[in-house]
Amino acid sequence: MNYNINKGIGRTVEFKGLKAQYLFIFAGGLLGTLILVMIMYMAGVNSYVCLFLGAGGASLIVWQTFSLNRKYGEHGLMKIAANKRHPRYIICRKPIHRYLKFTTKQNAV
């Protein structure tokens, strides 16, 4: 008997070179552009304006997503977000003798 082995276990999802979270940015951006164009068309905006904004927005999203993927790589956006959450430096406003002072715990009865 022959069994197929899935050799893609543990790998990240990739589509046309886009990896991981860039796929969600790509798909969400294109979906948002489509919804925006549909709302503008239903509101009565000129169809050429809708086409121009839709094509321009979609091409901007595609270009920006691929450039982010190329610049930061697979885990780059998560590393940048984590770096922004950490403080650049720690401010210490207590006097030094407060840190060096030893306190003993009292026995509770």
Side-chain angles (χ1 to χ4, degrees):
M1 295 182 124
N2 291 334
Y3 295 103
N4 292 333
I5 298 173
N6 185 359
K7 295 184 179 180
I9 295 174
R11 284 198 215 158
T12 60
V13 180
E14 183 177 349
F15 176 73
K16 303 273 185 183
L18 288 177
K19 294 181 180 179
Q21 71 266 21
Y22 300 106
L23 281 172
F24 297 114
I25 295 170
F26 182 72
L30 289 180
L31 184 65
T33 304
L34 176 68
I35 291 172
L36 179 70
V37 168
M38 289 169 52
I39 289 172
M40 286 174 26
Y41 184 75
M42 288 174 25
V45 178
N46 190 357
S47 60
Y48 291 116
V49 173
C50 292
L51 281 172
F52 177 73
L53 287 177
S59 61
L60 180 69
I61 288 170
V62 169
W63 172 67
Q64 195 67 16
T65 307
F66 276 96
S67 69
L68 283 173
N69 186 32
R70 189 171 41 257
K71 183 176 182 180
Y72 294 116
E74 184 176 343
H75 302 291
L77 290 181
M78 290 186 285
K79 288 180 183 177
I80 291 170
N83 195 16
K84 286 183 180 180
R85 288 180 177 222
H86 294 341
R88 291 183 185 255
Y89 51 88
I90 298 173
I91 298 174
C92 176
R93 294 194 174 138
K94 287 184 181 180
I96 295 173
H97 68 85
R98 300 266 323 251
Y99 292 111
L100 299 175
K101 189 178 185 187
F102 293 105
T103 58
T104 58
K105 292 184 180 179
Q106 308 229 351
N107 293 335
V109 179

